[in-house]
Amino acid sequence: MKKFIFDTYEEVCQAASELYVQQLKEKPGTVFGFATGSTPVGLYNELAKKYKAGEICFSKARSFNLDEYYPMKKDHPQSYDYFMRENLFDKINLSQFSLPSGEAPDPKAECKRYDEEIAKAGGIDLMLLGIGHNGHIGFNEPSVAYSMGTYLTKLTQSSIDANSRFFGPDEVQPTQALTMGIGEIFFSKKIILIITGEGKAPIAKKLFDGMIHTDVPASFVLLHPNVTVFMDKAAAGE
Ligand code: F6R
């Protein structure tokens, strides 16, 4: 594991974006795994800037997102589909992107279809992860058993509370999601984990205490042979 700690969130995003430049130079047809939430927004802005400046090209790349609320209409402003278009896909030249569909009538069939699509693309080359306050990655919540492939999961109250900031008072917030499983995340060739902000300091402290905590899903990521962690000083408790 490589771990880099920067003074600020902006520096984290800048440094992480350099890995994307490098990755696309090495493999223009990279299969990316993308995350949503507040953490990757700065990185997505950097990627959009680099694309505009002609420093990066996604024309041969493709991507799969980690998760989507269920049920969720694609065009709902809180859908992860909408989030990705607004924060990244509308600003770069990536035309082949997929998310699990929150509109699918049969979630089990949709998970199977999504896993098959990922496998057909050759798996994820570079997976981007944020971390929940409870240690979740994607929507793999703390548990005693973890899924290999994409599945329909119930969100914990802590995740529902954490994401309630994105929903208006009259909006119904979903309590379930379709998410890639821990196994699928783990089989990515490379992983980038970004942890920023003071609020993430307690979970970061537990994550890096030298133990693999089975109730911290992100712990499994630390066993991966090619993982790069980017943190700011606030999350590192400095
Ligand atoms: C969402 C996802 C989640 C988030 C996590 C942190 O696609 O994968 O695991 O990364 O909930 O969210 P933020 O970045 O909003 O703190």
Side-chain angles (χ1 to χ4, degrees), residues 106-126:
D106 177 349
K108 216 168 167 187
E110 171 58 10
C111 293
K112 187 167 176 282
R113 186 203 64 75
Y114 199 59
D115 287 345
E116 285 168 359
E117 203 185 336
I118 295 170
K120 219 167 125 197
I124 311 283
D125 291 309
L126 180 60

Side-chain angles (χ1 to χ4, degrees), residues 12-76:
V12 165
C13 298
Q14 176 59 38
S17 73
E18 292 302 333
L19 284 196
Y20 283 77
V21 175
Q22 188 61 31
Q23 175 69 30
L24 281 165
K25 264 190 198 143
E26 282 166 20
K27 186 175 179 186
T30 292
V31 179
F32 290 105
F34 285 133
T36 54
S38 333
T39 308
V41 170
L43 168 62
Y44 294 159
N45 285 339
E46 280 301 324
L47 296 181
K49 259 197 252 166
K50 283 188 158 51
Y51 168 68
K52 215 171 162 192
E55 292 169 35
I56 199 167
C57 173
F58 291 88
S59 65
K60 293 193 169 69
R62 68 156 307 162
S63 73
F64 291 92
N65 262 76
L66 275 165
D67 43 18
E68 177 61 281
Y69 288 119
Y70 190 86
M72 180 53 89
K73 291 262 178 249
K74 228 175 154 145
D75 292 334
H76 190 290

